Coordinates of all heavy atoms in Angstrom, one line a residue:
M1 N 67.4 -64.3 -57.2 CA 66.7 -65.5 -57.6 C 66.6 -65.5 -59.1 O 66.2 -64.5 -59.7 CB 65.3 -65.6 -57.0 CG 64.5 -66.8 -57.5 SD 62.8 -66.9 -56.9 CE 62.0 -65.9 -58.0
D2 N 66.8 -66.7 -59.7 CA 66.6 -66.8 -61.2 C 65.3 -67.7 -61.3 O 65.2 -68.7 -60.6 CB 67.7 -67.5 -61.9 CG 69.0 -66.7 -62.0 OD1 68.8 -65.4 -61.8 OD2 70.0 -67.2 -62.2
T3 N 64.4 -67.3 -62.2 CA 63.3 -68.1 -62.5 C 63.2 -68.4 -64.0 O 63.3 -67.4 -64.7 CB 62.0 -67.5 -62.0 OG1 62.1 -67.3 -60.6 CG2 60.7 -68.3 -62.3
Q4 N 63.0 -69.6 -64.4 CA 62.9 -69.8 -65.8 C 61.4 -69.7 -66.2 O 60.5 -70.3 -65.6 CB 63.4 -71.2 -66.1 CG 64.9 -71.3 -65.9 CD 65.5 -72.6 -66.4 OE1 64.8 -73.4 -67.0 NE2 66.8 -72.8 -66.1
V5 N 61.2 -69.1 -67.4 CA 59.9 -69.0 -68.0 C 59.9 -70.1 -69.1 O 60.7 -70.1 -70.0 CB 59.6 -67.6 -68.6 CG1 58.3 -67.6 -69.3 CG2 59.7 -66.5 -67.5
K6 N 59.0 -71.0 -69.0 CA 58.9 -72.1 -69.9 C 57.5 -72.2 -70.6 O 56.6 -71.6 -70.1 CB 59.2 -73.4 -69.2 CG 60.5 -73.5 -68.6 CD 60.8 -74.9 -68.0 CE 62.2 -75.0 -67.5 NZ 62.6 -76.4 -67.2
T7 N 57.5 -72.9 -71.7 CA 56.2 -73.1 -72.4 C 56.0 -74.6 -72.7 O 57.0 -75.3 -72.7 CB 56.1 -72.2 -73.7 OG1 54.8 -72.4 -74.2 CG2 57.1 -72.7 -74.7
V8 N 54.8 -75.0 -72.9 CA 54.6 -76.4 -73.3 C 53.4 -76.4 -74.2 O 52.4 -75.6 -74.1 CB 54.3 -77.2 -72.0 CG1 53.0 -76.8 -71.3 CG2 54.2 -78.7 -72.3
K9 N 53.4 -77.2 -75.2 CA 52.4 -77.3 -76.2 C 51.2 -78.1 -75.8 O 50.1 -77.9 -76.3 CB 52.9 -77.8 -77.6 CG 53.9 -76.8 -78.1 CD 54.4 -77.2 -79.5 CE 55.4 -76.1 -79.9 NZ 55.8 -76.2 -81.3
R10 N 51.4 -79.0 -74.9 CA 50.3 -79.8 -74.4 C 50.6 -80.3 -73.0 O 51.8 -80.4 -72.6 CB 50.0 -81.0 -75.3 CG 51.1 -81.9 -75.6 CD 50.6 -83.1 -76.5 NE 51.3 -84.3 -76.1 CZ 52.4 -84.7 -76.5 NH1 53.1 -84.0 -77.4 NH2 53.0 -85.8 -76.1
P11 N 49.6 -80.5 -72.1 CA 49.9 -80.8 -70.7 C 50.9 -82.0 -70.4 O 51.6 -81.9 -69.5 CB 48.5 -81.2 -70.2 CG 47.5 -80.5 -71.1 CD 48.2 -80.5 -72.4
D12 N 50.9 -83.0 -71.3 CA 51.8 -84.1 -71.0 C 53.1 -84.0 -71.9 O 53.9 -84.9 -71.9 CB 51.1 -85.4 -71.3 CG 50.6 -85.5 -72.8 OD1 50.6 -84.5 -73.5 OD2 50.3 -86.6 -73.2
G13 N 53.3 -82.8 -72.4 CA 54.5 -82.7 -73.3 C 55.7 -82.1 -72.5 O 55.7 -81.7 -71.4
E14 N 56.8 -82.1 -73.3 CA 58.1 -81.5 -72.7 C 58.0 -80.0 -72.7 O 57.4 -79.4 -73.5 CB 59.3 -82.0 -73.5 CG 59.5 -83.5 -73.4 CD 60.8 -83.9 -74.1 OE1 61.7 -83.0 -74.2 OE2 60.9 -85.0 -74.6
T15 N 58.7 -79.4 -71.7 CA 58.7 -78.0 -71.7 C 59.9 -77.4 -72.5 O 60.8 -78.1 -72.8 CB 58.9 -77.5 -70.2 OG1 60.2 -78.0 -69.7 CG2 57.8 -77.9 -69.3
E16 N 59.7 -76.2 -72.9 CA 60.7 -75.5 -73.7 C 61.0 -74.2 -72.9 O 60.1 -73.4 -72.7 CB 60.2 -75.2 -75.1 CG 61.2 -74.4 -75.9 CD 60.6 -74.0 -77.3 OE1 59.7 -74.7 -77.7 OE2 61.1 -73.0 -77.9
R17 N 62.3 -73.9 -72.6 CA 62.6 -72.7 -71.9 C 62.6 -71.5 -72.8 O 63.2 -71.5 -73.9 CB 64.0 -72.9 -71.2 CG 64.4 -71.7 -70.4 CD 65.7 -71.9 -69.7 NE 66.9 -71.9 -70.6 CZ 67.5 -70.8 -71.1 NH1 67.1 -69.6 -70.7 NH2 68.5 -70.9 -71.9
L18 N 61.9 -70.5 -72.4 CA 61.8 -69.2 -73.2 C 62.9 -68.3 -72.7 O 63.7 -67.8 -73.5 CB 60.5 -68.6 -73.0 CG 59.3 -69.3 -73.6 CD1 58.0 -68.5 -73.3 CD2 59.5 -69.5 -75.1
Q19 N 63.0 -68.0 -71.4 CA 63.9 -67.1 -70.8 C 64.2 -67.5 -69.4 O 63.4 -68.2 -68.7 CB 63.4 -65.7 -70.8 CG 63.3 -65.1 -72.2 CD 64.6 -64.9 -72.9 OE1 65.6 -64.8 -72.3 NE2 64.5 -64.9 -74.2
T20 N 65.3 -66.9 -68.8 CA 65.6 -66.9 -67.4 C 65.4 -65.5 -66.9 O 66.1 -64.6 -67.4 CB 67.0 -67.5 -67.1 OG1 67.1 -68.8 -67.6 CG2 67.3 -67.5 -65.6
V21 N 64.6 -65.3 -65.9 CA 64.3 -64.0 -65.4 C 65.1 -63.8 -64.0 O 64.9 -64.7 -63.2 CB 62.8 -63.7 -65.1 CG1 62.6 -62.4 -64.5 CG2 62.1 -63.9 -66.4
R22 N 65.9 -62.8 -63.9 CA 66.7 -62.6 -62.7 C 65.9 -61.5 -61.9 O 65.7 -60.4 -62.3 CB 68.1 -62.1 -63.0 CG 68.9 -61.9 -61.8 CD 70.4 -61.6 -62.1 NE 71.0 -62.7 -62.9 CZ 71.5 -63.8 -62.3 NH1 71.5 -63.9 -61.0 NH2 72.0 -64.7 -63.0
L23 N 65.5 -61.9 -60.7 CA 64.9 -61.0 -59.8 C 65.9 -60.4 -58.8 O 67.0 -60.9 -58.8 CB 63.8 -61.8 -59.0 CG 62.7 -62.4 -59.8 CD1 61.8 -63.3 -58.9 CD2 61.9 -61.3 -60.5
P24 N 65.5 -59.4 -58.1 CA 66.5 -58.7 -57.2 C 67.2 -59.7 -56.2 O 66.7 -60.9 -56.1 CB 65.7 -57.7 -56.4 CG 64.5 -57.5 -57.3 CD 64.2 -58.8 -58.0
D25 N 68.1 -59.3 -55.4 CA 68.8 -60.1 -54.5 C 67.9 -60.4 -53.3 O 68.2 -60.1 -52.2 CB 70.1 -59.4 -54.0 CG 71.1 -59.4 -55.1 OD1 71.1 -60.3 -56.0 OD2 71.9 -58.4 -55.1
W26 N 66.9 -61.1 -53.6 CA 65.9 -61.5 -52.5 C 65.9 -63.0 -52.5 O 66.1 -63.7 -53.5 CB 64.5 -61.1 -52.9 CG 64.3 -59.6 -52.9 CD1 65.1 -58.6 -52.4 CD2 63.2 -58.9 -53.4 NE1 64.6 -57.4 -52.5 CE2 63.4 -57.5 -53.2 CE3 62.0 -59.3 -54.1 CZ2 62.5 -56.6 -53.6 CZ3 61.1 -58.4 -54.5 CH2 61.3 -57.0 -54.2
E27 N 65.5 -63.6 -51.4 CA 65.3 -65.0 -51.3 C 63.8 -65.2 -51.6 O 62.9 -64.6 -50.9 CB 65.6 -65.5 -49.9 CG 67.1 -65.5 -49.6 CD 67.4 -66.2 -48.3 OE1 66.7 -67.1 -47.9 OE2 68.4 -65.7 -47.7
C28 N 63.5 -65.9 -52.7 CA 62.2 -66.0 -53.2 C 61.8 -67.5 -53.5 O 62.7 -68.3 -53.7 CB 62.0 -65.2 -54.4 SG 62.3 -63.4 -54.2
L29 N 60.5 -67.7 -53.5 CA 60.0 -69.1 -53.9 C 58.9 -69.0 -54.9 O 58.2 -68.0 -55.0 CB 59.4 -69.7 -52.6 CG 60.3 -70.0 -51.4 CD1 59.5 -70.5 -50.2 CD2 61.3 -71.1 -51.8
D30 N 58.7 -70.1 -55.6 CA 57.4 -70.3 -56.3 C 57.1 -69.2 -57.3 O 56.0 -68.7 -57.3 CB 56.2 -70.5 -55.3 CG 56.5 -71.6 -54.3 OD1 57.2 -72.5 -54.7 OD2 56.0 -71.5 -53.2
G31 N 58.0 -69.0 -58.2 CA 57.7 -68.0 -59.3 C 56.6 -68.6 -60.2 O 56.6 -69.7 -60.6
T32 N 55.6 -67.8 -60.5 CA 54.5 -68.2 -61.4 C 54.3 -67.1 -62.4 O 54.2 -65.9 -62.1 CB 53.2 -68.3 -60.5 OG1 53.4 -69.3 -59.5 CG2 52.0 -68.7 -61.4
F33 N 54.2 -67.5 -63.7 CA 54.0 -66.6 -64.8 C 52.6 -66.2 -64.9 O 51.7 -67.1 -64.8 CB 54.6 -67.2 -66.1 CG 54.5 -66.4 -67.3 CD1 55.2 -65.2 -67.3 CD2 53.7 -66.7 -68.3 CE1 55.1 -64.4 -68.5 CE2 53.6 -66.0 -69.5 CZ 54.3 -64.8 -69.5
Y34 N 52.3 -64.9 -65.1 CA 50.9 -64.5 -65.2 C 50.8 -63.4 -66.3 O 51.7 -62.5 -66.3 CB 50.4 -63.9 -63.8 CG 49.1 -63.2 -63.9 CD1 47.9 -63.9 -63.9 CD2 49.0 -61.8 -64.0 CE1 46.7 -63.3 -64.0 CE2 47.8 -61.1 -64.0 CZ 46.6 -61.9 -64.1 OH 45.4 -61.3 -64.2
V35 N 49.8 -63.4 -67.1 CA 49.6 -62.4 -68.1 C 48.2 -61.8 -67.8 O 47.2 -62.5 -67.7 CB 49.6 -63.0 -69.5 CG1 49.3 -61.9 -70.5 CG2 50.9 -63.6 -69.8
S36 N 48.2 -60.4 -67.6 CA 47.0 -59.7 -67.3 C 46.0 -59.8 -68.4 O 46.3 -60.1 -69.6 CB 47.3 -58.3 -66.9 OG 47.6 -57.5 -68.0
A37 N 44.8 -59.3 -68.2 CA 43.7 -59.3 -69.2 C 44.1 -58.4 -70.4 O 43.6 -58.6 -71.5 CB 42.4 -58.9 -68.6
I38 N 45.0 -57.4 -70.1 CA 45.4 -56.6 -71.2 C 46.7 -56.9 -71.8 O 47.4 -56.2 -72.6 CB 45.4 -55.1 -70.8 CG1 46.3 -54.8 -69.6 CG2 43.9 -54.6 -70.5 CD1 46.5 -53.4 -69.3
G39 N 47.2 -58.1 -71.5 CA 48.4 -58.7 -72.1 C 49.7 -58.3 -71.4 O 50.8 -58.5 -72.0
V40 N 49.7 -57.8 -70.2 CA 51.0 -57.4 -69.5 C 51.5 -58.6 -68.7 O 50.8 -59.2 -67.9 CB 50.7 -56.2 -68.5 CG1 52.0 -55.9 -67.8 CG2 50.1 -55.0 -69.3
P41 N 52.8 -59.0 -69.0 CA 53.3 -60.2 -68.3 C 53.9 -59.8 -66.9 O 54.5 -58.8 -66.7 CB 54.5 -60.6 -69.2 CG 54.9 -59.4 -69.9 CD 53.7 -58.5 -70.0
Y42 N 53.7 -60.7 -66.0 CA 54.2 -60.6 -64.6 C 54.8 -61.9 -64.1 O 54.4 -63.0 -64.6 CB 53.0 -60.2 -63.6 CG 52.4 -58.9 -63.8 CD1 51.4 -58.7 -64.7 CD2 52.9 -57.8 -63.1 CE1 50.8 -57.4 -64.9 CE2 52.4 -56.5 -63.3 CZ 51.3 -56.3 -64.1 OH 50.8 -55.1 -64.3
M43 N 55.7 -61.8 -63.1 CA 56.1 -62.9 -62.4 C 55.6 -62.7 -61.0 O 55.9 -61.7 -60.3 CB 57.6 -63.0 -62.3 CG 58.2 -64.2 -61.6 SD 57.8 -65.8 -62.4 CE 58.7 -65.7 -63.9
V44 N 54.7 -63.7 -60.5 CA 54.2 -63.6 -59.1 C 55.0 -64.6 -58.3 O 55.2 -65.7 -58.7 CB 52.7 -64.0 -59.1 CG1 52.1 -64.0 -57.7 CG2 51.9 -63.1 -60.1
F45 N 55.4 -64.1 -57.1 CA 56.3 -65.0 -56.3 C 56.2 -64.6 -54.8 O 55.6 -63.6 -54.5 CB 57.8 -64.8 -56.8 CG 58.3 -63.4 -56.7 CD1 59.0 -63.0 -55.5 CD2 58.0 -62.5 -57.7 CE1 59.5 -61.7 -55.4 CE2 58.5 -61.2 -57.6 CZ 59.2 -60.8 -56.5
C46 N 56.8 -65.5 -54.0 CA 56.8 -65.3 -52.5 C 58.2 -64.8 -52.1 O 59.2 -65.4 -52.4 CB 56.5 -66.6 -51.9 SG 56.6 -66.5 -50.1
H47 N 58.2 -63.6 -51.5 CA 59.4 -63.1 -50.9 C 59.6 -63.7 -49.6 O 58.8 -63.5 -48.7 CB 59.3 -61.5 -50.8 CG 60.6 -60.9 -50.4 ND1 60.7 -59.6 -50.1 CD2 61.9 -61.4 -50.2 CE1 61.9 -59.2 -49.7 NE2 62.6 -60.3 -49.8
E48 N 60.6 -64.5 -49.4 CA 60.8 -65.4 -48.3 C 60.8 -64.7 -46.9 O 61.2 -63.6 -46.8 CB 62.2 -66.1 -48.5 CG 62.5 -67.2 -47.6 CD 61.4 -68.3 -47.6 OE1 61.4 -69.1 -48.5 OE2 60.7 -68.4 -46.7
W49 N 60.2 -65.4 -45.9 CA 60.0 -64.8 -44.6 C 61.3 -64.4 -43.9 O 61.3 -63.5 -43.1 CB 59.3 -65.8 -43.7 CG 60.1 -67.0 -43.4 CD1 60.2 -68.2 -44.1 CD2 61.0 -67.2 -42.3 NE1 61.0 -69.1 -43.5 CE2 61.5 -68.5 -42.4 CE3 61.4 -66.4 -41.2 CZ2 62.4 -69.0 -41.5 CZ3 62.3 -66.9 -40.3 CH2 62.8 -68.2 -40.4
V50 N 62.5 -65.0 -44.3 CA 63.7 -64.7 -43.6 C 64.2 -63.2 -43.9 O 64.9 -62.6 -43.2 CB 64.9 -65.7 -43.9 CG1 64.6 -67.0 -43.4 CG2 65.1 -65.7 -45.4
Q51 N 63.7 -62.7 -45.0 CA 64.0 -61.3 -45.4 C 62.8 -60.4 -45.2 O 63.0 -59.2 -45.0 CB 64.4 -61.2 -46.8 CG 65.8 -61.8 -47.1 CD 66.2 -61.7 -48.5 OE1 65.4 -61.8 -49.4 NE2 67.5 -61.5 -48.7
A52 N 61.6 -60.9 -45.2 CA 60.4 -60.0 -45.2 C 59.5 -60.2 -44.0 O 58.3 -59.9 -44.0 CB 59.6 -60.3 -46.5
G53 N 60.1 -60.8 -42.9 CA 59.2 -61.0 -41.7 C 58.3 -62.1 -41.9 O 58.7 -63.3 -41.8
D54 N 57.0 -61.8 -42.1 CA 56.0 -62.8 -42.3 C 55.9 -63.4 -43.7 O 55.1 -64.2 -44.1 CB 54.6 -62.3 -41.9 CG 54.5 -62.1 -40.4 OD1 55.2 -62.8 -39.7 OD2 53.7 -61.3 -40.0
G55 N 56.7 -62.8 -44.6 CA 56.7 -63.2 -46.0 C 55.7 -62.3 -46.8 O 54.9 -61.7 -46.2
E56 N 55.9 -62.3 -48.1 CA 55.1 -61.4 -48.9 C 54.8 -62.1 -50.3 O 55.7 -62.9 -50.7 CB 55.8 -60.1 -49.3 CG 56.2 -59.3 -48.1 CD 57.1 -58.1 -48.4 OE1 58.0 -58.3 -49.3 OE2 56.9 -57.1 -47.8
I57 N 53.7 -61.9 -50.8 CA 53.4 -62.4 -52.2 C 53.4 -61.1 -53.0 O 52.7 -60.2 -52.8 CB 52.0 -63.1 -52.3 CG1 52.1 -64.4 -51.4 CG2 51.7 -63.4 -53.7 CD1 50.8 -65.1 -51.4
L58 N 54.3 -61.1 -54.0 CA 54.5 -60.0 -54.9 C 54.4 -60.3 -56.3 O 54.5 -61.4 -56.7 CB 56.0 -59.4 -54.6 CG 56.3 -59.1 -53.2 CD1 57.8 -58.8 -53.1 CD2 55.5 -57.9 -52.7
A59 N 54.1 -59.3 -57.1 CA 54.0 -59.4 -58.6 C 55.0 -58.4 -59.2 O 55.0 -57.2 -58.8 CB 52.6 -59.1 -59.1
M60 N 55.9 -58.9 -60.0 CA 56.9 -58.1 -60.7 C 56.6 -58.0 -62.2 O 56.5 -59.1 -62.8 CB 58.3 -58.6 -60.5 CG 59.4 -57.8 -61.1 SD 61.0 -58.4 -60.7 CE 61.1 -58.1 -59.0
R61 N 56.4 -56.8 -62.7 CA 56.1 -56.7 -64.2 C 57.3 -57.1 -64.9 O 58.5 -56.7 -64.6 CB 55.7 -55.3 -64.5 CG 55.2 -55.1 -65.9 CD 54.7 -53.7 -66.1 NE 54.3 -53.6 -67.5 CZ 53.6 -52.6 -68.0 NH1 53.3 -51.6 -67.2 NH2 53.3 -52.6 -69.3
L62 N 57.2 -57.8 -66.0 CA 58.3 -58.2 -66.9 C 58.3 -57.4 -68.2 O 57.2 -56.9 -68.6 CB 58.2 -59.7 -67.2 CG 58.1 -60.7 -66.0 CD1 57.9 -62.1 -66.5 CD2 59.4 -60.6 -65.2
T63 N 59.4 -57.4 -68.8 CA 59.5 -56.8 -70.1 C 58.7 -57.6 -71.1 O 58.5 -58.8 -70.9 CB 61.0 -56.7 -70.6 OG1 61.6 -57.9 -70.6 CG2 61.7 -55.7 -69.7
E64 N 58.3 -57.1 -72.2 CA 57.5 -57.8 -73.2 C 58.2 -59.0 -73.8 O 57.6 -60.0 -74.1 CB 57.1 -56.9 -74.4 CG 56.2 -55.8 -74.0 CD 54.8 -56.3 -73.5 OE1 54.3 -57.3 -74.0 OE2 54.3 -55.8 -72.5
D65 N 59.6 -59.0 -73.8 CA 60.3 -60.2 -74.3 C 60.6 -61.2 -73.2 O 61.2 -62.2 -73.4 CB 61.6 -59.8 -75.0 CG 62.6 -59.0 -74.0 OD1 62.3 -58.9 -72.8 OD2 63.6 -58.5 -74.5
L66 N 60.1 -60.9 -72.0 CA 60.2 -61.8 -70.8 C 61.7 -62.0 -70.3 O 62.0 -62.9 -69.6 CB 59.6 -63.2 -71.1 CG 58.2 -63.2 -71.6 CD1 57.7 -64.6 -71.9 CD2 57.2 -62.5 -70.7
K67 N 62.6 -61.1 -70.7 CA 64.0 -61.3 -70.4 C 64.4 -60.7 -69.1 O 65.4 -61.0 -68.5 CB 64.9 -60.7 -71.5 CG 64.8 -61.5 -72.8 CD 65.8 -61.0 -73.8 CE 65.8 -61.8 -75.0 NZ 66.8 -61.4 -76.0
A68 N 63.6 -59.7 -68.5 CA 64.0 -59.0 -67.3 C 62.8 -58.4 -66.6 O 61.7 -58.3 -67.2 CB 65.0 -58.0 -67.7
A69 N 63.0 -57.9 -65.4 CA 62.0 -57.1 -64.8 C 61.8 -55.8 -65.5 O 62.8 -55.2 -65.9 CB 62.3 -56.9 -63.3
A70 N 60.6 -55.3 -65.7 CA 60.4 -54.0 -66.3 C 60.7 -52.9 -65.3 O 60.6 -53.1 -64.1 CB 58.9 -53.9 -66.8
E71 N 61.1 -51.8 -65.8 CA 61.4 -50.7 -64.9 C 60.2 -49.8 -64.6 O 59.3 -49.8 -65.2 CB 62.6 -49.9 -65.5 CG 63.8 -50.7 -65.5 CD 65.0 -49.9 -65.8 OE1 65.1 -48.7 -65.5 OE2 66.0 -50.5 -66.4

């Protein structure tokens, strides 16, 4: 799954794409960008039920530049 990380300067403004994040070969939905209280970026998403049984909500840590999943 590819998820685009975007930014916007005001709620009614146009978005600007920062990066496209490639997640593993999973069927996923609803990627949401999250930054922890200590500044660590994550992508929170749903791992689709067709691969995970009842489905899962997961958080994947991202690199600081938001270009990829952190190892």
